[in-house]
Amino acid sequence: MNYYYNKTLHNISFDAVIDLVIEALKAEGFGVLTDIDVKATFKKKLDVDFRNYRILGACNPNFAHKAIEAENKIGVFLPCNVVVQELSNDTIEVAAVDPVASMSAVENESLGSIAEAVRNSLKKVVEEL
C-alpha cells in the first residue's frame, strides 16, 4: 500500500504552488494548522543549504472531530501532512499522506469510513492541482 498521493507540476513557482495547495485544501474544508519550512530550519539549525521543502499540516475540523470521538489517541496522526518540494527550478512535487495507510495500524473499525473520506478529499486536492 502506498502511503501518499503525489503530483508533479512544471513551469510554476514554488510559492505559487504553495498558494494553490492552500486554496485547494480550503475548498475541501481543510485549514493549514502548521507550516514547517524545512529549508529555513535546516539552514538555521544545521547551517545546511537545502531545496525548497515545506510541510503543511492540514486539518478538516469535521473529520478530526469524528476521528477523535472514535479513537481518542488518533491525534498522534493529526494533522494530515502535505509536502511541497522543489525537485528542480521548474518542477514542484506535491505529496499528501494517505490516511487509510497511516491509520491501518489502529484497530478500530469505526475509523475506516472517516479515513476513507479524508483520503478522498486529500486525493482530490492533489489530483486537481
Side-chain angles (χ1 to χ4, degrees):
M1 175 182 287
N2 212 355
Y3 62 94
Y4 64 91
Y5 294 99
N6 69 319
K7 184 170 187 174
T8 303
L9 304 171
H10 302 280
N11 301 317
I12 186 169
S13 74
F14 182 81
D15 290 335
V17 173
I18 292 289
D19 292 342
L20 286 173
V21 170
I22 290 170
E23 287 304 312
L25 286 166
K26 190 183 297 183
E28 285 296 310
F30 289 84
V32 175
L33 299 179
T34 59
D35 183 349
I36 302 168
D37 186 336
V38 174
K39 177 181 180 174
T41 301
F42 284 176
K43 186 64 177 174
K44 181 179 179 180
K45 302 288 185 180
L46 304 173
D47 196 27
V48 171
D49 292 322
F50 198 72
R51 67 185 178 278
N52 285 319
Y53 191 112
R54 297 219 340 237
I55 304 169
L56 305 175
C59 182
N60 178 306
N62 292 319
F63 291 144
H65 179 254
K66 289 176 185 175
I68 292 170
E69 286 288 315
E71 178 72 39
N72 69 359
K73 306 294 186 295
I74 205 65
V76 301
F77 290 109
L78 302 177
C80 295
N81 286 330
V82 179
V83 171
V84 180
Q85 66 174 313
E86 190 169 40
L87 301 177
S88 68
N89 286 339
D90 67 344
T91 304
I92 311 296
E93 179 187 49
V94 178
V97 68
D98 178 352
V100 171
S102 64
M103 292 185 194
S104 65
V106 180
E107 295 178 5
N108 183 331
E109 290 181 21
S110 61
L111 284 176
S113 62
I114 299 164
E116 188 67 38
V118 176
R119 169 198 261 174
N120 291 340
S121 288
L122 289 175
K123 190 174 179 182
K124 183 177 178 184
V125 165
V126 172
E127 288 175 347
E128 292 187 357
L129 290 173

